[in-house]
Amino acid sequence: MTSAQVDQHHDGNEAAEHEGGEGYQRGLGARQIQMIAIGGAIGTGLFLGAGKGISKAGPSLILAYAIAGLVIFLIMRALGELLMYRPVSGSFSEYAREFIGPFAGFVTGWTYWLFWVVTGITEVTAAAAYMTYWWDIPQWVSALVFTIVLYGANLISVKLFGELEFWFSMVKVTAIIGMILICVGVLTIGFSDAGETASVSHLWNDGGFFPNGVGSSLMTLQMVMFAFLAVELVGVTAGESKDPKTVLPRAINTVPWRIAVFYVGALIMILSVVPWTHFQPGVSPFVAAFEKMGLAAGAGIVNFVVLTAALSSCNSGMYSTGRMLRDLALNGQGPKLFTKLTRSGTPLVGTTFSAALMMVGVWINYQWPGKAFDYVVSFATISGMWAWIMILISQIRYRARSDRGELPRSDFRAPGAPLTSWFALAFIGMVIVLMGVDKDARISLYCAPLWGLLLLVSYLVLKRRNPQAAAFARR
């Protein structure tokens, strides 16, 4: 290496400390990345959706969350291995493009983008509805204000996005820990209206651990997996993390205890204090537990926490959609105007385009809140799992190539891979089959081929106009 090359290499490393390899600024610190990782695993699926799961499976829902949590950890370790090989903001879209093919990267990028747009629409709509708990404000006004505020925060700087997500996640974490501590107090000291009847024996005495049979418990796996959607968001932050080689492995390795505490631990406590038969679909198990304990303020607290969870999800949607569109554009698989960054290093056009669609979606939801919109929302679940499938397949192929010495070995290898990755793929396949059995979830499987056909036609047109899009254009 010549002296000029050494100087150039040094200058490149120095610049990389301030900017990601794609022009982004590395503004996300360890504190923010950790909370983004924690917040990604806690959402409305737990605070609201768990009520339906409890009524369907009883205490065995705890086991469903534990098993699904293990699979999520395997997926995240597979993603971690890829991130340490090449930490980029495009994340799994980039890896799908490199290890599976250009079309896979195209499908993954646009599908993940659609997932977050649809999720953002539903979450900002839900957040507006939660506001009516305190004030009689038209929902469209709250939805408009929330969308504008979060859009502005995402354009100012990635650091502000990270700070917002830090505090959103802090509220969710504090709420769950507080609930667990209250339940521990009820079980040990016996205070509150539920003190006399609270007992860990509720987990097996009220009809057994599988009160409605193993089959009913299996059918909850799909809603359990849906609750974990967005846990992979930490991978999208790779290009803007200050020290990705250190921070990202730490964040990923916290997945087991996060799931153990926030899902398994919280459910064990709640179902010990309140028998599972007291929970109903559509009612937050946290609200139901507070009511049983005679803590009237609980409903308002949970409403605030669920509002925070919805805004957190919408904030994440704003962040990830702009990055995905820019990654597609940089690889010739999207309009070039999506490559533009602001002075603070945020993808201006991509974020604006996505936020505009979220606004239109909110308006459509208010005008025609019928089945058509519900069908679009149901598709978000299968599109989210598509990203997990691409992560696992990419990791399997990367591991094979790195073991042959064709690519450098990652410093953060997934334990037990590729067998563990194959196991996770099989588990996701089983969940998709269960979705086909469930008439309420089946519609998402009908939507997927239509979206796939649209992407195929779009890709063929793009390939004809821009042959470079059919190659792995960027390393």
Side-chain angles (χ1 to χ4, degrees), residues 55-277:
S55 64
K56 199 169 189 177
S60 64
L61 184 67
I62 298 168
L63 181 61
Y65 272 112
I67 294 172
L70 171 63
V71 174
I72 292 298
F73 178 59
L74 298 178
I75 294 170
M76 292 302 293
R77 282 303 302 258
L79 175 59
E81 181 169 339
L82 292 167
L83 287 171
M84 293 306 98
Y85 153 67
R86 197 163 64 90
V88 288
S89 188
S91 192
F92 22 91
S93 177
E94 279 282 295
Y95 304 134
R97 189 176 294 112
E98 179 176 1
F99 295 108
I100 304 174
F103 181 61
F106 177 81
V107 171
T108 302
W110 282 107
T111 300
Y112 198 67
W113 168 81
L114 180 66
F115 161 69
W116 274 114
V117 168
V118 173
T119 299
I121 292 169
T122 57
E123 295 290 14
V124 78
T125 303
Y130 300 145
M131 289 294 290
T132 61
Y133 179 86
W134 296 291
W135 299 288
D136 186 20
I137 302 174
Q139 289 192 24
W140 70 268
V141 174
S142 299
L144 180 65
V145 171
F146 287 146
T147 305
I148 291 174
V149 170
L150 294 176
Y151 166 70
N154 271 270
L155 281 191
I156 291 172
S157 72
V158 68
K159 187 175 182 180
L160 182 55
F161 155 78
E163 204 60 33
L164 273 176
E165 202 56 35
F166 174 85
W167 290 108
F168 283 151
S169 297
M170 184 65 76
V171 169
K172 294 185 283 186
V173 169
T174 302
I176 295 178
I177 292 176
M179 184 68 184
I180 291 174
L181 291 176
I182 290 172
C183 289
V184 169
V186 173
L187 289 168
T188 55
I189 304 173
F191 78 92
S192 88
D193 295 347
E196 294 182 1
T197 59
S199 172
V200 179
S201 62
H202 284 313
L203 298 178
W204 57 83
N205 279 348
D206 303 310
F209 191 69
F210 296 92
N212 295 325
V214 176
S216 294
S217 302
L218 282 174
M219 293 305 292
T220 64
L221 282 176
Q222 47 188 302
M223 66 181 76
V224 168
M225 292 295 279
F226 301 158
F228 288 124
L229 288 174
V231 70
E232 75 289 332
L233 180 67
V234 69
V236 184
T237 67
E240 294 167 277
S241 303
K242 289 181 179 178
D243 186 12
K245 294 285 187 180
T246 303
V247 172
L248 294 177
R250 287 179 182 172
I252 290 170
N253 278 334
T254 61
V255 168
W257 73 258
R258 280 188 271 137
I259 292 171
V261 172
F262 300 128
Y263 282 90
V264 177
L267 286 176
I268 288 175
M269 289 294 101
I270 289 175
L271 293 176
S272 296
V273 171
V274 182
W276 73 270
T277 52

